[in-house]
Amino acid sequence: MDSPGGFPSGHVLDDSSPPRSSRSGTPSPTPPPFPRGAATAARDLAATDEEHDTHTAQGRPGERCERPPARPVVTELRLSAFASHRGVVHPLAPVTLFAGASGSGKSTALAAYEALARLGSGDDLALVFPDPAGCVPEGARPDAQGRRGFRVGCTVDGPAGPVRLDVAVQAEPRLRIVGERLTCRGRTLLTTALRDPGRSTVQAEWHTAGATPVTRAPLPDDLLGTALLPLRVAGKTQGQLDVLAAAEQVVVALRSVFACDPLPSRMRAPVPAGEGRLRRGCDNLAEVLHRTRTDCPRRHARLASVADAGCAGPVTALGVEDLPDATVRAVLERTPGWATGPRPAAATPLGRLGDGELRYLALALVLLTGPGVLAMDELAEVPAAMRALTVLADGFDLSLDRRQFRALLGLAATICADGHIRLVGTVGDAFTADAREVTGVSVVDLDRD
């Protein structure tokens, strides 16, 4: 039997083994087989995962979503065939940490999430997957035409109900999307299929429920079809309105993602004062603090109080100094004489802090701010009450000591409890037990899956 995109059974996209839930460890319903031929690949993509009747409420596993969340949020990450992951479903809570030994696939899971987010934002497939062969499960053999690929998906809960997105990607010999399916409450709203390998398009069909049951049109094979639907669907029938609602819910959730990886080695030097939007590596931390000190004084003051819990010595405030060369540097303001030995200066430049202190401050700043302060798409067309920011933090515990880790994770749990911000990160074995002790934190142990 063939798998999506025409990949033969026994190769990368065959789902002969049932998906497993990382939360419960019990198998999900076994998907039915795929019929032969790439032309029908996407038509059967929905069959890979039976529609769930029970979904998460704001990411809490096991609760029936009687009242859909007002803000679209990703509550499941499905890795049907992606790098070291195969046939698994990972429920996502407001704070979720992937745990496990080195090589267990923690970073890979976050990479899949970020890839979906970038596709949902309209990024080109080649930019999202610069090394597509690295996403193909190890040991996957090409078929007679030399084709190999991978498959990822997610579930987005929101006002439209639980919406499922599944995407099949051909990595070799040419990178392209060969199948996509969007479903909601058991109804298929969009399918795409590769009908002519010689063309750079896929055939798309979306629900109409008017005089014509479905609308058919070609879509590019290097962009996510779901992200294009708001530009293609008229919204004249109830069926089209349902399609738009589901597609927009998925797009809003996927576009509301900020991947953060603070790099202490690039955070120590003064930086030019600018618009103050924090970049992924947080190398412009001083620039952002220069902005928040005047534009967000309450958040800035709260960050200073949080800094006291994660930095050595009593921290009284976070300051910013304007230097003669038109650059700025951030400083910790401390009570003079807090350390032993010669009387230290009351202000300590952030460049003198340890790696753990810098990463702690950067991650705390991300959690305490929002899209307007982060270098990301602000989704200005969507009211703030209708969107929730998701922070992706690979190596959340990197360089932190136990005190810093527990303080930062406690801050995350408190902030994420109100539904405006969510956190998905990774943590090593050393702090897994500590993470489990923090109320409101869900730990996915990949070593047990």
Side-chain angles (χ1 to χ4, degrees):
M1 303 222 176
D2 285 0
S3 53
F7 297 95
S9 176
H11 296 303
V12 55
L13 293 182
D14 171 52
D15 267 342
S16 55
S17 58
R20 293 174 289 112
S21 168
S22 62
R23 186 75 57 191
S24 63
T26 58
S28 299
T30 303
F34 289 91
R36 296 184 179 277
T40 57
R43 186 166 301 163
D44 302 283
L45 198 52
T48 62
D49 293 292
E50 183 176 311
E51 185 70 24
H52 291 264
D53 291 326
T54 301
H55 291 268
T56 59
Q58 286 288 357
R60 293 188 294 272
E63 295 184 13
R64 182 174 296 276
C65 191
E66 301 290 353
R67 183 176 300 172
R71 305 177 184 90
V73 292
V74 177
T75 54
E76 278 185 342
L77 178 65
R78 286 189 300 283
L79 304 177
S80 300
F82 188 81
S84 60
H85 300 272
R86 188 181 181 92
V88 292
V89 180
H90 298 302
L92 302 178
V95 179
T96 303
L97 293 180
F98 287 92
S102 178
S104 61
K106 304 186 299 292
S107 297
T108 304
L110 256 65
Y113 193 140
E114 184 179 1
L116 285 170
R118 294 185 62 186
L119 289 174
S121 298
D123 283 2
D124 182 272
L125 191 65
L127 295 177
V128 177
F129 298 107
D131 179 25
C135 301
V136 178
E138 293 184 17
R141 303 183 306 276
D143 64 7
Q145 287 74 42
R147 296 174 297 181
R148 299 197 308 160
F150 52 90
R151 185 171 59 215
V152 294
C154 64
T155 298
V156 177
D157 275 8
V163 180
R164 295 163 60 85
L165 170 68
D166 293 283
V167 185
V169 178
Q170 175 185 292
E172 299 170 351
R174 175 188 165 192
L175 181 64
R176 64 200 313 177
I177 295 176
V178 295
E180 180 179 346
R181 181 167 288 263
L182 189 71
T183 60
C184 181
R185 303 186 187 278
R187 182 172 57 180
T188 300
L189 300 178
L190 166 73
T191 60
T192 70
L194 178 65
R195 297 188 181 278
D196 185 351
R199 296 179 180 269
S200 298
T201 61
V202 291
Q203 183 66 25
E205 298 180 357
W206 58 82
H207 185 60
T208 305
T212 304
V214 298
T215 299
R216 296 180 177 87
L219 293 178
D221 65 358
D222 58 351
L223 296 173
L224 189 69
T226 297
L228 300 175
L229 286 181
L231 304 175
R232 300 294 299 268
V233 179
K236 295 181 178 180
T237 68
Q238 185 58 51
Q240 291 175 337
L241 291 174
D242 292 343
V243 171
L244 285 174
E248 290 171 357
Q249 177 168 297
V250 170
V251 170
V252 168
L254 293 180
R255 287 175 61 189
S256 304
V257 170
F258 180 71
C260 180
D261 182 19
L263 302 174
S265 62
R266 300 176 59 183
M267 296 165 58
R268 302 182 185 281
V271 296
E275 63 174 350
R277 288 171 64 86
L278 191 66
R279 294 190 284 265
R280 178 186 184 122
C282 302
D283 51 288
N284 62 332
L285 178 66
E287 174 195 354
V288 177
L289 292 176
H290 185 267
R291 172 188 173 184
T292 60
R293 184 179 58 172
T294 55
D295 294 353
C296 314
R298 293 180 61 183
R299 292 182 181 180
H300 189 88
R302 186 175 181 187
L303 178 63
S305 64
V306 169
D308 185 55
C311 298
V315 177
T316 58
L318 272 172
V320 180
E321 297 178 346
D322 294 289
L323 302 180
D325 59 356
T327 61
V328 294
R329 71 176 180 182
V331 297
L332 289 183
E333 297 180 5
R334 291 168 161 150
T335 303
W338 65 271
T340 58
R343 181 182 180 88
T348 303
L350 260 61
R352 297 183 182 178
L353 301 184
D355 286 359
E357 292 175 304
L358 288 174
R359 282 185 61 87
Y360 175 92
L361 286 174
L363 289 169
L365 177 61
V366 172
L367 292 169
L368 287 169
T369 57
V373 183
L374 305 177
M376 60 176 293
D377 188 348
E378 290 191 57
L379 283 175
E381 69 275 19
V382 180
M386 295 298 294
R387 45 190 162 96
L389 170 68
T390 297
V391 177
L392 301 184
D394 192 12
F396 183 80
D397 60 332
L398 186 62
S399 299
L400 302 182
D401 60 28
R402 179 161 277 101
R403 173 180 62 95
Q404 293 168 330
F405 175 77
R406 293 184 68 93
L408 188 61
L409 191 57
L411 174 68
T414 300
I415 291 176
C416 294
D418 66 7
H420 290 86
I421 295 180
R422 296 167 71 88
L423 171 68
V424 181
T426 65
V427 62
D429 282 344
F431 290 148
T432 300
D434 295 84
R436 294 186 186 279
E437 294 177 0
V438 179
T439 303
V441 176
S442 175
V443 177
V444 177
D445 193 344
L446 297 180
D447 287 336
R448 299 181 182 179
D449 295 341

